[in-house]
Amino acid sequence: MSNIEHSTPLKSATIFTLFSPRLLPATLMLGGGVTLYAVESYITATIAPSIVRDIGGLELFSWMTTLFVAAGVLGSITVATRPKGVGLRAVYIAAALTFGIGSLLCAIAPTMPVLLVGRAVQGYGSGMLSGLAYAFIRFIYPEPLWRRASTLYAAIWGVATVLGPTLGGLFATGGAWREAFIVLVPLAVLMAFSARRLLPDVADDRTDTRTPLVQIILLLAAVLFVSVAGTIEHGSLKAVLIAVSIALVAAMVLIERKSEIRLLPYGAVMLSNPIARLYLTIFTMMLVLTSDIYIPYFLQTLHGVTPLVSGYLVALVALGWTIAAFFSNSFTGRPAAIAIIAGCILETAATASLIPFLATATPFSEVAAFAPAVIAMFLMGFGVGLGWAHLVTRIIGTAKKAEQDKASAAISMTQSLGGAFGAALTGVIVNSAGLTHPGGIAGGLSAAHWLYALMAVPGLVAIVLSFTIKPASA
């Protein structure tokens, strides 16, 4: 089945065209899958302390996130490596049911090990749902609407950074952490049953369905190592784990270049190929953006901001991403290419500007002096949102037709990898710079200076890469 028929003239189409009567069902299904993955990532992080207080397992605390992220990466890979003849709609149904089973296991878990199994199952299902959103784009929408759909998914991730912790806080406040999982079960079942009616049964147009097992194992091991690195405090051990992760990714890349059975679309591991530079730009932008995870700590420690206010302030990063995504979604051709370049420059400049703006002991009450830091937070997210949808659209459009499932699945995978490596790297930087020793104001100032100085470096790489991305035809 080809693209869903619609009556809206494409030249006048906007992002709201995705919600036209003919496209609305599919848009809700695909957007719903991304929403589950995005929001659940943040909800569990918020209710995790309540879970530990109830069923114990503090020593396994970090694995709630680690297993979810690793399983999510595997889920996105599954979209492209599914058995021959299995359609995307069937995978969607399986993904929704898997997510529901995982949520149910988490809700009824009597101990932490059982909950971890549920988190892994839940992560696997949500990873598939996220990957399917991009895989379905070319079948659901005509090409002029691809970037509109990508904009919508980017906006969902931006909103999730605010909505997830807020919902998690509501459940955690009442000690109702099990309810935070159980409410997802009927929703997942509804999505699975609705998929048969609301999503098209598209043909499997892949020519090579062999499973690149070695590359998958190496990549998952890298994700696990770097995710664990992001959860431990010992600086030297954290650095070793990151180094091992990088070595595993390097080994995967070498095998991918020589193997006939590939995990990624052709050219994705050769820097001379445009699609490789597109993926690397996404990876570096996500890597830089994760430096925002320490903003609440610096706000509270260095500027006397309350936890609630610091939460709202860091949400400006998400707000910037969302606003920029809508602002640039109509760009095509050269304006779209310029948006990618401008986005990389803005994100990098905003990150570096946090050194003089945030890495100070300026009281939050001095609004005029603190305003530049607030603007910089907003521009960090704005930079990512400005070019994100255009990067995604270019990847899908650049990949060969028989490899577009691989290309689509790799978008979600690359985003997760950037976040995982970024979280681990920021931990190494701040701990090495004195966040805990000597700690306090002095340690916070040192950590903030080094964090935003070093995390701006990958942004320079993104800027260089962005200038090599040629404009696509409008």
Side-chain angles (χ1 to χ4, degrees):
M1 183 173 177
S2 59
N3 298 353
I4 294 177
E5 297 292 333
H6 63 90
S7 57
T8 305
L10 295 183
K11 290 185 178 180
S12 62
T14 67
I15 194 170
F16 298 105
T17 305
L18 302 175
F19 298 93
S20 62
R22 291 182 181 273
L23 297 177
L24 178 61
T27 298
L28 291 178
M29 294 296 289
L30 301 182
V34 176
T35 301
L36 283 182
Y37 188 25
V39 173
E40 183 57 23
S41 299
Y42 294 102
I43 286 181
T44 304
T46 307
I47 64 175
S50 299
I51 295 174
V52 170
R53 284 193 296 267
D54 189 14
I55 63 176
L58 180 60
E59 68 281 2
L60 300 173
F61 183 91
S62 63
W63 286 95
M64 279 190 278
T65 299
T66 299
L67 288 176
F68 185 84
V69 171
V73 171
L74 181 59
S76 65
I77 292 173
T78 300
V79 175
T81 59
R82 66 191 187 277
K84 179 66 176 177
V86 176
L88 293 176
R89 188 173 69 181
V91 178
Y92 188 101
I93 294 171
L97 291 177
T98 300
F99 180 82
I101 292 171
S103 300
L104 181 60
L105 285 173
C106 291
I108 65 175
T111 62
M112 181 60 76
V114 176
L115 186 131
L116 293 180
V117 172
R119 283 292 284 167
V121 174
Q122 193 185 46
Y124 182 65
S126 58
M128 282 194 286
L129 289 171
S130 180
L132 283 163
Y134 292 111
F136 259 117
I137 280 182
R138 62 192 176 100
F139 297 109
I140 299 293
Y141 311 110
E143 188 168 349
L145 285 177
W146 288 1
R147 65 181 177 276
R148 317 286 189 186
S150 300
T151 295
L152 177 64
Y153 303 154
I156 288 173
W157 273 99
V159 172
T161 60
V162 180
L163 184 61
T166 300
L167 292 176
L170 292 175
F171 285 110
T173 301
W177 66 267
R178 293 185 187 275
E179 284 78 358
F181 291 113
I182 199 67
V183 296
L184 299 172
V185 177
L187 179 59
V189 172
L190 177 62
M191 291 172 67
F193 279 96
S194 300
R196 186 168 294 277
R197 295 188 59 186
L198 302 182
L199 291 175
D201 185 18
V202 297
D204 184 0
D205 56 7
R206 296 170 299 158
T207 57
D208 187 358
T209 57
R210 294 174 294 176
T211 302
L213 191 59
V214 176
Q215 293 97 306
I216 292 174
I217 291 174
L218 288 172
L219 187 60
L220 287 179
V223 173
L224 283 172
F225 274 114
V226 79
S227 296
V228 171
T231 61
I232 60 177
E233 295 184 2
H234 198 285
S236 58
L237 179 57
K238 186 188 288 279
V240 168
L241 290 174
I242 293 177
V244 172
S245 299
I246 294 174
L248 290 170
V249 172
M252 188 276 287
V253 168
L254 289 175
I255 293 174
E256 182 79 2
R257 294 187 69 168
K258 298 178 180 179
S259 177
E260 293 182 359
I261 308 174
R262 293 192 303 271
L263 173 63
L264 303 171
Y266 176 79
V269 293
M270 294 181 288
L271 199 56
S272 59
N273 193 297
I275 198 169
R277 298 194 293 274
L278 290 167
Y279 281 121
L280 191 53
T281 302
I282 284 180
F283 176 83
T284 50
M285 292 185 80
M286 284 305 300
L287 189 73
V288 173
L289 191 66
T290 53
S291 62
D292 72 342
I293 62 179
Y294 281 94
I295 287 179
Y297 178 85
F298 294 138
L299 288 174
Q300 295 172 41
T301 304
L302 303 179
H303 305 282
V305 179
T306 65
L308 178 62
V309 174
S310 68
Y312 283 120
L313 287 175
V314 79
L316 288 171
V317 178
L319 181 63
W321 181 336
T322 303
I323 290 177
F326 283 102
F327 170 75
S328 68
N329 84 90
S330 62
F331 296 170
T332 59
R334 185 168 178 77
I338 292 174
I340 295 173
I341 296 172
C344 292
I345 294 174
L346 271 178
E347 183 195 25
T348 304
T351 301
S353 72
L354 287 176
I355 300 172
F357 296 155
L358 186 63
T360 66
T362 305
F364 180 65
S365 56
E366 297 181 20
V367 178
F370 194 72
V374 174
I375 295 172
M377 294 175 213
F378 177 84
L379 290 179
M380 280 181 70
F382 192 90
V384 177
L386 199 60
W388 188 267
H390 305 297
L391 288 166
V392 169
T393 303
R394 290 296 305 279
I395 287 173
I396 298 174
T398 301
K400 298 177 181 178
K401 184 177 180 181
E403 292 193 317
Q404 285 183 326
D405 278 359
K406 287 183 180 180
S408 301
I411 293 169
S412 179
M413 182 181 73
T414 303
Q415 182 178 353
S416 297
L417 286 175
F421 273 90
L425 183 59
T426 56
V428 170
I429 294 172
V430 297
N431 287 327
S432 301
L435 185 70
T436 55
H437 302 288
I441 298 293
L445 287 172
S446 175
H449 273 93
W450 281 105
L451 176 63
Y452 297 111
L454 294 178
M455 290 302 285
V457 174
L460 297 177
V461 176
I463 292 172
V464 172
L465 290 169
S466 69
F467 275 99
T468 69
I469 299 173
K470 297 180 179 179
S473 56

